[in-house]
């Protein structure tokens, strides 16, 4: 007989250690929320160790194949949110024409105000990695990263840069904002890689 607390529908094995499931969607970031009166000046720059660096306008990004994925997100501060539906463009479709140099091993994501996050190139190119424009069928709100954010659900959510503007391919690892300020360099929620010393 099982006397334990009844688990929430569907979350068996889906919630990493020491995370609590929330229905809400907390807003967390460092710095200011950018507001865009128009996206005419907006671009996404793919550069570094690529044969063909590229600047996508928002319109060009919208012309790429759209993909919808459903996943769970895990914030290092202890909340997890299950069954998020994201719509956007797969990383592989964004970088398809850029020709990544064989010596590119790491990626540094650049967001507004100079905020950055790093991840190994395999993690960036993973089939589940998405650049999202919509969450649960609505455009991202300004607080959650409008017009474009990364979504790398297998890592703690701080890697999922909001207000993404640049993707830089690098030969060497370069810690991003939180990675320089006490967070783990990689951030696997299943191994609880929260802080530098974990
Ligand atoms: N540009 C930018 N992206 C960011 C951050 C930030 O400070 N700036 N914070 C990260 C952190 S620590 C978390 S937990 C998530 C929070 O995303 P949310 O506010 O949509 O829940 O965004 C991540 N992406
Ligand atoms: Mo976070």
């Amino acid at each position: 007989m099982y006397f334990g607390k009844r688990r929430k529908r569907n979350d068996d094995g889906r919630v990493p250690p020491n995370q609590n499931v929330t229905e809400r969607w907390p807003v967390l970031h460092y710095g200011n929320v950018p507001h865009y009166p128009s996206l005419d000046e907006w671009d996404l720059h793919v550069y570094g160790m690529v044969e063909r660096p590229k600047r996508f306008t928002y319109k060009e990004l919208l012309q790429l194949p759209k993909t919808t994925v459903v996943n769970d997100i895990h914030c290092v501060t202890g909340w997890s949110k299950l069954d998020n539906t994201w719509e956007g463009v797969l990383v592989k479709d964004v970088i398809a024409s850029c020709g990544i140099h064989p010596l590119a091993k790491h990626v540094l994501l650049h967001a507004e105000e100079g905020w950055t996050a790093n991840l190994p190139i395999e993690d960036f190119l993973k089939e589940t990695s998405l650049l999202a424009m919509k969450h649960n069928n609505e455009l991202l709100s300004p607080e959650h990263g409008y017009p474009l954010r990364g979504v790398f659900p297998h890592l703690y959510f701080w890697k999922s840069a909001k207000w993404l503007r640049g993707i830089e391919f690098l030969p060497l690892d370069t810690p991003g904002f939180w990675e320089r300020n006490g967070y783990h360099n990689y951030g696997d929620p299943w191994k609880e890689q929260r802080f530098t010393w974990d």
Side-chain angles (χ1 to χ4, degrees):
M1 208 180 287
Y2 178 62
F3 292 104
K5 209 168 144 191
R6 175 117 37 108
R7 277 173 176 260
K8 254 194 177 85
R9 182 179 56 93
N10 270 341
D11 70 358
D12 294 72
R14 285 175 62 182
V15 183
N18 296 307
Q19 295 289 112
N20 293 303
V21 173
T22 171
E23 303 291 325
R24 295 169 43 242
W25 189 7
V27 170
L28 281 169
H29 53 259
Y30 181 84
N32 301 301
V33 175
H35 287 270
Y36 305 90
S38 110
L39 292 177
D40 292 349
E41 308 286 301
W42 186 96
D43 62 5
L44 176 70
H45 194 187
V46 181
Y47 64 107
M49 298 193 80
V50 289
E51 308 291 341
R52 288 167 295 278
K54 189 166 163 62
R55 279 184 196 277
F56 289 89
T57 64
Y58 190 68
K59 274 193 190 136
E60 287 171 329
L61 212 59
L62 290 177
Q63 282 155 13
L64 295 174
K66 288 215 180 54
T67 305
T68 301
V69 302
V70 180
N71 60 33
D72 303 337
I73 57 181
H74 311 294
C75 175
V76 70
T77 60
W79 54 268
S80 290
K81 185 169 166 57
L82 306 182
D83 297 316
N84 302 278
T85 301
W86 304 95
E87 188 183 305
V89 290
L90 287 173
V91 162
K92 75 167 171 56
D93 292 326
V94 176
I95 52 93
S97 65
C98 292
I100 298 170
H101 194 282
L103 291 178
K105 300 288 183 218
H106 297 270
V107 169
L108 190 62
L109 303 171
H110 295 262
E112 296 288 355
E113 299 195 334
W115 192 91
T116 53
N118 59 311
L119 65 175
I121 196 166
E122 311 82 76
D123 295 85
F124 180 70
L125 300 180
K126 209 172 153 74
E127 62 287 354
T128 49
S129 296
L130 187 82
L131 306 187
M133 297 158 172
K134 289 188 176 178
H135 177 268
N136 292 352
N137 296 315
E138 286 180 31
L139 278 180
L140 291 170
S141 65
E143 292 72 21
H144 287 301
Y146 175 87
L148 187 72
R149 79 175 299 161
V151 181
F152 309 102
H154 67 297
L155 300 174
Y156 278 125
F157 202 41
W158 88 78
K159 298 282 184 180
S160 293
K162 305 195 272 192
W163 316 300
L164 184 65
R165 294 295 300 273
I167 297 168
E168 184 180 10
F169 289 90
L170 295 164
L172 298 173
D173 197 9
T174 307
F177 177 81
W178 283 120
E179 295 82 2
R180 288 193 305 272
N181 286 284
Y183 281 8
H184 196 274
N185 193 53
Y186 184 65
D188 181 344
W190 300 96
K191 295 184 179 158
E192 278 200 83
Q193 295 173 337
R194 296 175 195 271
F195 305 108
T196 308
W197 52 83
D198 284 332

